[in-house]
Amino acid sequence: MAIWKDLVGGDGSTEARKSALEVLRARIQQPGTTPLERRQLFESIITPGQLEDFQLQFTALTELTHHGKDLTTFQDDIMPLITSWLNYWFQKCGAAREARRKEKERSSRSSGQLVEENNLNSIYGYVVNMVRFSFNGFQEAEMIMLLEQLLRICKKTTASSDIKSVMQIMDALVTYGEMPRAMLDPCLDVLCGAYGMVKDVADPIWNTIRNLCKSHTAQNAVTALMDILRSPSGHDTRNTNTLRGAILLLKRIWCARGMDGIVTVSSAAVLNAFNLCLAADSSRLELEIVDTILDILEEPRLTEAIVQDGDWCTLMNLLSQCSRRTVTPKKVQSRRSSDRSSDRSSDRSSKANEACLKTMESLKVVIGHLERYCCRPEFEHRSTIMEFFMAVPRHLPHSTAELLVKYHTEERLCYPSNQAWLDASRQLITTFFEDVTKPPSIRLLVLQEIRDVYQMVMDQFDTETILHLVEPLLSALNEESDREILEGLKALAVDVAGHSQEEISHKAMVALSGCFRTDRPISLDIPDDPETTTLPRPRSGFTTRPTNIYAMEAATDGIVTLFLQSLRSSPSKAQLNYEILLRATRIGGKAGDARPRITALRVLFRLRSNASGAVYITNVAECEALATTLGRTLDSQHLLRSSIQEPTRSNRESRQEKSTSQSGRGQSAAGHTKSTSSSQNRTSEHAPRSIMPDPCWMYLEEHTDSGYPMDTALSCRALPTIKTEDESSMEPEPTHFLNIKLWLEVLILILQQEEDWEVYSYVLVHLAAQLCNHSLFVDAVPQIKLLRNVLCEQLRVGSFREPPAGSALKKQDVSICLFHTLTILLTYHQHFSKNEQDEIIRTFVIGVGSGERTAKYCIHALAICCHELPLSISKSLNNILQKMSQIITQSQVAVHVLEFLAGLARMPEVYVNFREDDYRTVFGVCFRYLQYVRDQRQRGSETPLARPSTGSESHSRKRESSGPGGPFIDTSMIPTGGHELPQYVYALAYHVITYWFMSIKLVDRIKYTSWITKNLVLVDASGREVIEEQSLVTIDMMQRVTFSDHDETLPDPRFSGTPNEPISKKTWLVGMSIMTVEMAMHSGTSQMTKRQPSATTYSTHNSRVAQRPLHQIPIQSQLSADSQEESSRIEVLPQHVLLHMVHTSLRTPRAVRPVPLPEDEAIDRAIKMFDRNTTVDGHKVGVIYIGPDQKTEAEILSNTLGSDEFSEFALKLGMVIRLKGAKFNTQGLDREMDMDGEWTICWRDRVTEIVFHVPIMMPTDLERDPQCINKKRHTGNDFVNIIFNDSGSAFRFDTFPSDFNYVNIVITPETGCSAIYDGYRYDPDPAKRFYKVQVMSKPGFPQVSPAADTKVLSGKSLPDFVRLVALNASVFSLVWANRDGGEYVSSWRNRLREINRLREKYAPGTQIFNPVASPSGVPGSAGGVAGGAGGSSTMTTQRESMNLRRTSGPGFFNEGINSHRSSVLSMATTATDTDAGGLFEGESLADS
């Protein structure tokens, strides 16, 4: 043995050592080795040798110990040997691996397994066998030695194979032996580290741990694992891996939960260990813990265990801790930024971020499982989970977030019943509302919850608490973009702004106003002195800044709501809201900004004031006509879109050439083309049409039911302006009032500078309606004057804004709106100087000649000026008539021109300075329109005089308005150019001729008769000159009044016939008259009655007979031969008088001789029938008073009294006349029994008579007639009714259902109702009171009145204007009523026809004239007021056709008035003055 030992361990040759070892192996293989020999052999084997001899040594040891199974005699010495070998070969192996790695990098060649690795692996296998078969023979210290070496290898190795081998050793130790208690913790530490870092060894390690947990040291092992988690050692990566491995292993032990013999672990202990482990501050650990919890929640068996153990609080707390990094990503980002100094820290940060993302995903799955548990009714830990949800809001799915918010609502966690209600509310706001990534539905739930909480606590807590609750929500208003949420925020802000505490209310107001805050002043710095007000230089008055358009909309809506609420309840808040609204109107410069601005404008334009200065909100926009003009109604918008058609190719090419030079034209803020010059404006009208954009606003009958009556506490003026007579001092100035000056200045800025077409058009449409309310602007005189300046200047030079390209609107549409506004503004003339008033007239005159469409509106305005500004009209009357004579080629203004002239004829104070040329101009206009109607008839054309409008013209027509809620008919769809308008034009032309002829001075009338007569004659197809019926009665009228202005005459009562004075009567047809002579047989006194078409006159002829000389014998006549008494002697007959009047020595043609009529009953009846046709045209008009708050027909007609203003107005319409015994046509009112009242109001001039049916003057018996049918039978059958509306609300056309009411002329005090009803006595001066007048027509009835669009007049001018409008409406109604069958024939024409019938019957073939009917379907009128056609004959002319559009008006007017009379004229002018000389030829007058 000694020799072998020397050979093996000596320094001999390699061959000698190998031989010795071979011999040693052979000896070991021989049986029967004694223990001593085994010992000696072992010592020989372990003798230190060379490195290359290790395989032989290890093989010999293996054979000696039977692969580690038999360690007898040397068991105490083998463990140090094996430990040293492990250490030695692990180091060698590490060096060899490093060398191989470097070699591989250089040569890129793979090499086989290293010898060192083979030796190390052999030792590992040997140790396994040692532990398996010889564990009991080792001391604990030896095992500790072995384990320590193994642990050192595990900590230092870079190869997973080493760890796997060590795990096999430890598994064998645990399985076949016992883990030393002292090494349990170090081993588990290494095992956990390897398990958490090396995936390849996970299964071996778990096998080891599982076996350990099955052993009697299982509890110690679990405790050791938990101790690892409880005592993290910082941020070292290995320690983190150890903790991670411990978590994973503990999870597997926990999940096994007693299965397969593994020890059962308490959930609380594990969760507690996990919680303590988080002190390591590692995202990877948090990920593993979350994944562990996820695995548990996915396993119902494990989840139930948690439920049973009651560990939900710990579990939720643990999840909350693990979600810290995912909840606050900024912290992760900051850490990442601070750790970029080295590659290692950067890699660590990257892994941490990756772990955070994975944790987030796992956390979402966990939350989904928890949500399902919370939905179980029987689940008892819902509150615990909800607290966790509240801690991880960013990871909550939408359904979970909604569940959490609803949980707060159900449990009332945000209400004061919960001690932490305020914190809960704020947390809910911060967590779910302020997070804009949350769905709007969830944010809305939070918002509604906070609103409900606020409603409960608003009066229970101090200001600080309330603000702490709502301030976060209010501050979010300006940044919010979701429209639904903005609506909720607006509602909350409105609620908060209504709080009684000023500080709280102020916060809400600041939040709302912050959405459109501007630092620019609103005022234009207009001086208060009206006389020094001049047009200021336009300056930038609008604020342009980036804005949140949706927030602006919501904020504006909120301010509007607050303004409406505070009008009565809080004047100070109303004033503040008003000022904020003014600022809101001035935010501009961005497309889309129009919507909030229009919202503010909408309520500001609804402001109205009563006579006492109290502000209220009207519920009617009152501007549909202008909205139709600009295409802002549905029908007009449709017509506009229909008018935009694709241009033809040629037009397109030419337009493209024109547009090339204009390509630089920009777009306005509203997306519309901005005009830069007049030439561009003209060119843009012919530019290619683009697609019409959808308008931002459309006119609707909006009802702003503010719910506040007119007696609101807020005033619109600093001091009331109307005082009672007994007041000795002024009332104190109100603390709060609306500064209307600022509002008017904003409007002026918009008119001057606005670029957004939507805003500009809104102001154009709505401004006039508000200006009607004089009481609102009583303190804004400088601004009113400035507005007048701006309007006149813009209209005069055309500097107003053009409609955008593609809108199908024209510049005239804008000018129409401006002219209408100026028409309303002129009623403020008491504040204007004479020059300013004259400028208004001049502006309208310019408008008359500036375009076909504006002419009508300017003519209407001038009609108003005749009443309001008579001096200025008189000054410019010559220019006005000249303009009208120039536009007679514009057939669509015919009605309006003639109505203007008809009204002007009744105002002698206006045309007091008329010259001969002026009269000629007036008559010339009438003749031209008559010629046009005749030409139309002659050509057989159905083209109406007022042609129907198309395109943008048709939509400007005012639709029939019946008030809010009533039926609405767009008259643009009505054929207003039908036959009824030429008929009306025809009637009006004669009307004007009649009145203007009577207006001429008596001494000058003869100058015009032949010229007028000549132009009333027409030539038929055969060249014969004939006269129409209406022309005949007009000529008859001129003959009657040329030399006399006498009113009607009365018959002499002496010719009633008495026995003492017999009367002889004889009747003749003389020309166009019926002449009756009544002769007193004794006295010789005679009465002549001349019945003409236009009048009946009575005259007395008394021949003063000289006393016979004494020497003269008595006259013996045949008539008195039989008489015995001289008193009964008859000396003269009626024929004598006629012969005396018409005798001439010349021979008279038979056709012109007087025609005697027989003295029989037929003639008497005919004359009585003739006398029933009055000498004036009669009209009936209802005058109805509507009292405060009256809406139904019954309560309106039951009125027995009216307001003082109504009474004053009604009495100025005419005269109060006693009905009983009245000798005139009372238009159905009883004249015998006072059944319709004792009195009525009547008005009459020389050709027209109006009887007013006034219900308050009629008997009222509500017991027998509750529906007032007796009154309704009169007003219900009147074509025209005048409605004095004191109800305070808009009048509805259908208030009085009737088939005959065509027109309602609605008069409304500009204050809304008579001042007496709002507690403030009206001004006794009618010139200082103003009324709105609007003509409402039945659906389908054309709108031809100057008040079809609302007009404003003073109380002084109101009666005359309304009476004139009513008269014209009645005439047109008569024409309209007979449009289908027959015609309306006037009284004068009826009388003419009666005369012609008598001549045809009693003197056939002696017709002096050949009168023809008026043009087919064109009725005449009494005195030219109205007329009709009896026949259907058509006339052609040999004259050159005088087409209205080709004939120059001025050339016509310059014809000489003393031109040669025609034969017809000569015959006409001598018809009634025929001499009697020729009557004796063939047939004596006496014989007749």
Side-chain angles (χ1 to χ4, degrees), residues 69 119 294 313 329 414 442 759 777 802 936 1149 1324 1363 1380:
K69 299 178 182 178
N119 294 338
L294 176 59
C313 291
C414 298
I442 296 176
V759 175
F777 300 99
E802 261 199 59
Q936 293 294 323
R1363 183 175 56 246
D1380 294 330

Side-chain angles (χ1 to χ4, degrees), residues 771-783:
L771 287 174
C772 293
N773 187 204
H774 281 238
S775 296
L776 186 65
F777 300 99
V778 69
D779 282 345
V781 173
Q783 288 71 23

